[in-house]
Amino acid sequence: MRPIYLASLLALILVSCSDSDNGSQSENRFEGEVRIQISGEVPAGEETHFFLPFEVPEGVAEIEIHHDDLSSENILDWGLDDPAGFRGWGGGKSQPVIVGLDAASPSYIPGPIPAGTWEVVVGKAKIAEMPARYEVEVILRATATLAPQSERQPYESPQALESTARWYVGDFHSHTVESDGSVTIDELISFAESRGLDFILMSEHNTVSQLSWYPSYQLTTPVLLLPGMEFTTYAGHANTIGTTEWIDHRTGVRGATIEDAIADTHQQGGLFSINHPLLNVGDLCIGCGWQYDVAPETIDGVEVMGGIFTGVPFWEDLLARGSHAAALGGSDDHRGGTGDGPTYSPLAKPSTRVWAEELSVAGILEGIRNGRTVVQIQGPDGPMIEAEMSGVRRGDTVFADSSMLRATVTAASGMFLRIWKNGELMTTVDVAGDPFVHEVMIEAPATGEDRYRYDVLDGRSLAALTSYIWLQREPD
């Protein structure tokens, strides 16, 4: 046990060593600090997360946490809950964590430090070596060491940055140092501006710590900063687009379910969009492939292209089972344009166009709900398809007994335009000219609905694709 010193400003607290189901725990307080040592073995069982409780007395201004999985083979993820709930999720970060009243490490939330039981949250990302052990040190301080982060403010949705109805272009999947990215928020925004984007979503893994930085940055950039997070589990990833509160990703633990996460997303007014659903690459991207079985109609979008990885077959299957999910794309850029290698995609490659009445959070969300999206796989300057269907359109559905299906294609001369009906290839035409217009008359089914979309092939590579437009007969 470390020596115990009398503190001139704080009362001496002695807590004897004790054993618990989570391991052994000892605590000393001296010179304005309490140090808590927690160690033990990762509990066996199928639950993906476990919790290491520690007590915080009144008067603590800052908490620092060091953690170690003690193995080159095992991978543990780390987060923090206070007595009221979520305070941050660092995932696989190895750096120490500091949380205080006026400042916090990236991925964590500053704010009051309430007395009571806090918990270090541990995720069993990969357990390959047994026994799996951990060591955690918690330091409680009466005086903060982090400088106040005065730029952070409570998030509020900004006013519309533009009031024109048009196709806005952005990226729905990117990361900064607030999760596992290597660039700052400021650096990512600057890169987005250089790419000519209208909006970006910093889809940080299981945290909303980035949102308190948004208000100050939104004042100085024309790029709309969409709220949300990447809901990251060991059985699939998804974006919760438009949400502002943390959503519990620990499915199967303490009653949390995937259905609850989707419902929470919708209750916050957000959209639940599955990311890189077919990216089943094992330890190279833990949990990246989608494994959950959920009601198709509850899914609002699918990342049909995430970086260089397609999700189109998954999307088509989901639609065939009753979903109306929009097609979305995102780069999954973690390096703000500074990466390299065959699997790296910089911000805006792919990009997604959204037809919206205005450049606002509500406007972009409504455009997605209406299925007014086009994924430009080659980026904002690549092929673009504007698809229309005559009749009365409500959301993503047109009501007409017969309809003119029309596509206007730009930046695709010499490529191939394909029309898809209900997941089956309907026809292929050469793109001759820029712009190129293609029209075809279609009939609504006697009952139910048919769906139509376009895509563009550049040689054998997919260059752009639209969401589906759904067609039903006019009601009596």
Side-chain angles (χ1 to χ4, degrees):
M1 179 178 291
R2 290 186 175 87
I4 301 172
Y5 301 95
L6 289 175
S8 58
L9 298 177
L10 298 174
L12 177 65
I13 299 175
L14 296 178
V15 179
S16 62
C17 298
S18 64
D19 291 330
S20 70
D21 292 339
N22 291 320
S24 61
Q25 184 175 146
S26 62
E27 170 177 310
N28 300 325
R29 180 171 182 169
F30 60 96
E31 298 297 331
E33 287 187 354
V34 171
R35 291 176 177 260
I36 305 170
Q37 307 296 331
I38 310 173
S39 62
E41 291 188 7
V42 174
E46 295 184 357
E47 286 199 336
T48 55
H49 296 74
F50 61 100
F51 304 84
L52 306 176
F54 61 94
E55 295 301 317
V56 174
E58 295 284 354
V60 171
E62 185 178 85
I63 299 173
E64 181 171 344
I65 300 173
H66 298 247
H67 43 66
D68 194 338
D69 61 19
L70 303 175
S71 171
S72 61
E73 299 297 323
N74 297 334
I75 300 175
L76 297 179
D77 289 335
W78 306 92
L80 182 66
D81 284 356
D82 69 15
F86 177 76
R87 285 305 290 264
W89 180 257
K93 288 182 177 180
S94 59
Q95 300 95 327
V97 174
I98 298 178
V99 175
L101 175 64
D102 299 313
S105 301
S107 307
Y108 290 81
I109 310 294
I113 308 297
T117 302
W118 289 55
E119 293 179 311
V120 175
V121 185
V122 190
K124 298 188 285 187
K126 176 187 175 184
I127 304 298
E129 184 178 73
M130 297 296 290
R133 298 190 60 83
Y134 58 84
E135 285 184 357
V136 175
E137 181 180 50
V138 179
I139 305 171
L140 309 179
R141 296 193 181 99
T143 303
T145 61
L146 283 184
Q149 296 165 337
S150 57
E151 304 90 343
R152 301 181 85 150
Q153 303 172 35
Y155 175 80
E156 292 184 2
S157 183
Q159 297 294 318
L161 305 188
E162 185 178 327
S163 298
T164 305
R166 67 175 178 90
W167 289 100
Y168 293 99
V169 63
D171 192 320
F172 284 104
H173 197 163
S174 62
H175 297 275
T176 73
V177 294
E178 290 298 320
S179 60
D180 59 346
S182 62
V183 294
T184 64
I185 292 176
D186 185 52
E187 289 169 334
L188 187 68
I189 291 173
S190 295
F191 188 49
E193 292 175 358
S194 74
R195 298 284 280 164
L197 297 186
D198 297 307
F199 64 86
I200 54 172
L201 173 63
M202 297 177 205
S203 50
E204 311 296 5
H205 296 287
N206 297 330
T207 189
V208 291
S209 59
Q210 71 277 19
L211 297 189
S212 60
W213 294 103
Y214 275 17
S216 60
Y217 283 115
Q218 191 67 82
L219 293 174
T220 60
T221 180
V223 178
L224 176 66
L225 308 179
L226 290 173
M229 72 175 206
E230 185 168 11
F231 173 82
T232 306
T233 78
Y234 303 131
H237 299 185
N239 278 344
T240 62
I241 307 169
T243 59
T244 59
E245 301 292 334
W246 174 75
I247 296 170
D248 195 345
H249 60 278
R250 303 168 304 207
T251 57
V253 179
R254 293 183 172 177
T257 68
I258 183 63
E259 290 79 11
D260 289 340
I262 296 171
D264 192 354
T265 301
H266 293 156
Q267 287 166 6
Q268 293 188 44
L271 303 175
F272 195 90
S273 179
I274 298 172
N275 288 346
H276 41 64
L278 299 178
L279 188 56
N280 298 302
V281 290
D283 293 345
L284 295 177
C285 188
I286 295 172
C288 282
W290 189 258
Q291 300 175 38
Y292 294 105
D293 183 14
V294 297
E297 62 272 15
T298 65
I299 304 302
D300 305 296
V302 171
E303 191 176 66
V304 297
M305 188 61 65
I308 66 170
F309 302 103
T310 183
V312 172
F314 176 92
W315 177 53
E316 288 283 9
D317 177 70
L318 193 71
L319 297 177
R321 293 189 289 116
S323 177
H324 275 219
L328 299 178
S331 62
D332 201 3
D333 189 355
H334 286 65
R335 300 182 182 181
T338 65
D340 55 24
T343 62
Y344 175 69
S345 294
L347 194 73
K349 190 174 182 182
S351 56
T352 304
R353 297 266 176 184
V354 180
W355 178 270
E357 295 299 317
E358 62 181 21
L359 182 56
S360 66
V361 175
I364 296 299
L365 292 179
E366 188 64 17
I368 298 171
R369 289 189 183 97
N370 292 338
R372 301 297 300 272
T373 69
V374 181
V375 179
Q376 293 178 283
I377 295 162
Q378 297 180 353
D381 298 326
M384 172 64 183
I385 314 163
E386 295 188 55
E388 300 174 275
M389 188 182 289
S390 64
V392 177
R393 181 162 182 163
R394 298 188 183 94
D396 59 7
T397 302
V398 168
F399 296 88
D401 292 343
S402 60
S403 179
M404 177 67 75
L405 180 63
R406 175 188 174 96
T408 303
V409 185
T410 55
S413 184
M415 301 182 192
F416 303 99
L417 177 68
R418 300 190 298 183
I419 308 172
W420 296 80
K421 175 184 178 181
N422 298 334
E424 300 291 335
L425 182 60
M426 184 175 164
T427 188
T428 301
V429 297
D430 294 334
V431 178
D434 189 6
F436 174 76
V437 177
H438 181 269
E439 296 180 333
V440 60
M441 286 297 300
I442 54 177
E443 297 293 325
T447 60
E449 57 190 3
D450 286 332
R451 65 183 192 273
Y452 295 85
R453 70 170 175 89
Y454 290 94
D455 65 23
V456 167
L457 282 182
D458 184 0
R460 295 184 177 181
S461 299
L462 196 60
L465 79 160
T466 71
S467 284
Y468 272 100
I469 304 174
W470 305 76
L471 179 62
Q472 294 185 24
R473 286 198 171 272
E474 293 182 289
D476 293 336

